[in-house]
Amino acid sequence: MTNTEIIEKIHEFLTEEFEVDAAKLVPEANLKETLGLDSLDYIDLVVVIENNFGFKVKPEDFTNIITFQDFCDYVISRVNSKELA
C-alpha cells in the first residue's frame, strides 16, 4: 500500500465514519480542536485503524499524535514497518 493510498483511506474513514468535514483535513489540523475528535472517537479510531490497516494500536501511541499530519505519519510508519516484517 502506497503512502497516498493510506492517506486516501484515512480521509475516507474520517469523513464517512467520524463525519469530519473533508475541507478540514489539512496537515496542520488539530485532531481534537479542529476535527472535533473526542476520547470516545479515539477508541473508535483505534478499532477502525486495526480493521483497515491490520496492526494493533496501543493507547500510548496516541500521546504524541496532535495533528492530522502526525496521525498520517504514524499510520504510514506502522503500515510500512508491518510490510517490511
Side-chain angles (χ1 to χ4, degrees):
M1 183 175 270
T2 68
N3 292 357
T4 303
E5 290 170 331
I6 293 168
I7 293 170
E8 286 172 0
K9 184 72 123 171
I10 293 169
H11 270 262
E12 185 180 305
F13 65 67
L14 283 175
T15 55
E16 291 177 12
E17 297 186 38
F18 295 89
E19 299 178 355
V20 172
D21 180 356
K24 292 183 177 180
L25 293 176
V26 294
E28 65 277 2
N30 183 293
L31 292 179
K32 290 180 182 174
E33 294 162 14
T34 308
L35 304 183
L37 300 179
D38 61 23
S39 56
L40 291 176
D41 289 327
Y42 276 83
I43 294 168
D44 292 338
L45 196 55
V46 166
V47 174
V48 171
I49 292 169
E50 290 175 354
N51 290 339
N52 280 280
F53 299 107
F55 65 84
K56 292 285 183 196
V57 178
K58 295 180 222 116
E60 59 268 19
D61 290 348
F62 275 94
T63 56
N64 295 320
I65 297 174
I66 308 297
T67 65
F68 180 64
Q69 185 66 53
D70 294 337
F71 179 65
C72 290
D73 290 344
Y74 166 75
V75 174
I76 288 167
S77 71
R78 290 293 307 270
V79 169
N80 288 338
S81 67
K82 184 182 74 143
E83 288 177 354
L84 295 173

